[in-house]
Amino acid sequence: PYPPSGIPIIPDVVSLDTPDLGVAFSKNRPVWDLLAAALPVTLLINLIAFPISYLIAVPTGMLASVRRGGAFDVFSGFLYLSLYSIPTVLAGVFAIGFLANKQYLGWFPVSGLHESGADQFTYLPYTDDAGAWHRGYLLDTLWHVGLPVLCLVYGSFAVLSKQTRASMLDNFNADYVRTAKAKGVPRKDVVLRHVFRNSLLPLITMFVGIFPAMLAEIGRAHV
């Protein structure tokens, strides 16, 4: 019989305990331990990548909607859709092979979250007595997560940018925008205070779908 464990609900009959997810045979470690070790890193990478995605894609979508049909609109759409078509895992392999490989560029570390001996670093960059510059704990962490963040954000540019562009184009044709233009409201105020403000709702609701998708991309990379 299964041994009782955890908190007994009905003594010797039913007890409540943490789930047993088994053992990962590839690493000979409990699955729960692997999840507990990877989850903080996954959340850290997503918390860095998510604001970057919005800060780049949303202004790009705004500019593309204002210059609809122009060179910037066509170029940004082509670029983002081309990036969107590249699988994240494949981009990670290329990044490690070229950007992190010492035989090529070697700009980034291949693995790990910190350099060996990072526990002895100060939090911010500093210069020692010999005049040598040291990154510090903060910059060392950002340096190590640079490639994972890069591989995570590029795929969301197309979705957010196209959604921003579509929402703003819909609002440009709204009656309140024509009324604002007829009253002589400056074009900058029309775009920022009227059109963009009313286009934010779809972008906010997309967070529910984009954030789990980004977590899933990191999960596939861990696998």
Side-chain angles (χ1 to χ4, degrees):
Y2 192 80
S5 61
I7 303 174
I9 305 300
I10 301 177
D12 299 327
V13 178
V14 177
S15 59
L16 181 64
D17 199 2
T18 56
D20 183 7
L21 302 180
V23 177
F25 297 104
S26 60
K27 297 185 178 181
N28 197 26
R29 291 180 58 191
V31 175
W32 185 259
D33 292 347
L34 295 176
L35 291 177
L39 185 59
V41 180
T42 301
L43 293 177
L44 173 64
I45 293 175
N46 277 272
L47 290 176
I48 296 174
F50 203 79
I52 294 176
S53 299
Y54 269 80
L55 289 175
I56 294 178
V58 172
T60 304
M62 291 176 58
L63 190 57
S65 66
V66 173
R67 302 181 179 181
R68 180 182 181 183
F72 180 82
D73 183 21
V74 175
F75 175 75
S76 62
F78 174 78
L79 176 63
Y80 287 163
L81 289 177
S82 299
L83 292 175
Y84 183 75
S85 64
I86 302 175
T88 303
V89 177
L90 181 61
V93 173
F94 286 156
I96 293 175
F98 293 98
L99 297 180
N101 194 338
K102 297 296 183 181
Q103 296 180 355
Y104 293 94
L105 297 178
W107 290 345
F108 296 91
V110 178
S111 62
L113 189 60
H114 301 287
E115 190 176 341
S116 59
D119 294 339
Q120 306 298 325
F121 291 172
T122 59
Y123 186 73
L124 297 176
Y126 68 97
T127 303
D128 59 18
D129 296 335
W133 183 81
H134 299 273
R135 288 188 298 271
Y137 192 85
L138 178 60
L139 286 184
D140 183 69
T141 303
L142 295 177
W143 183 48
H144 279 75
V145 302
L147 281 185
V149 169
L150 176 65
C151 294
L152 191 60
V153 298
Y154 76 84
S156 61
F157 289 161
V159 178
L160 289 173
S161 177
K162 289 296 184 182
Q163 182 61 50
T164 303
R165 179 180 180 275
S167 298
M168 292 191 65
L169 288 178
D170 287 341
N171 284 283
F172 270 126
N173 297 323
D175 293 336
Y176 71 90
V177 175
R178 286 194 293 267
T179 303
K181 291 180 179 179
K183 290 182 177 180
V185 178
R187 180 174 175 80
K188 179 180 178 181
D189 293 337
V190 171
V191 174
L192 296 179
R193 296 186 178 182
H194 296 279
V195 177
F196 178 65
R197 183 178 297 178
N198 288 279
S199 302
L200 284 176
L201 185 59
L203 300 178
I204 296 173
T205 56
M206 286 181 66
F207 172 84
V208 180
I210 293 179
F211 189 71
M214 295 174 76
L215 288 175
E217 292 291 345
I218 291 292
R220 285 202 296 268
H222 279 301
V223 174

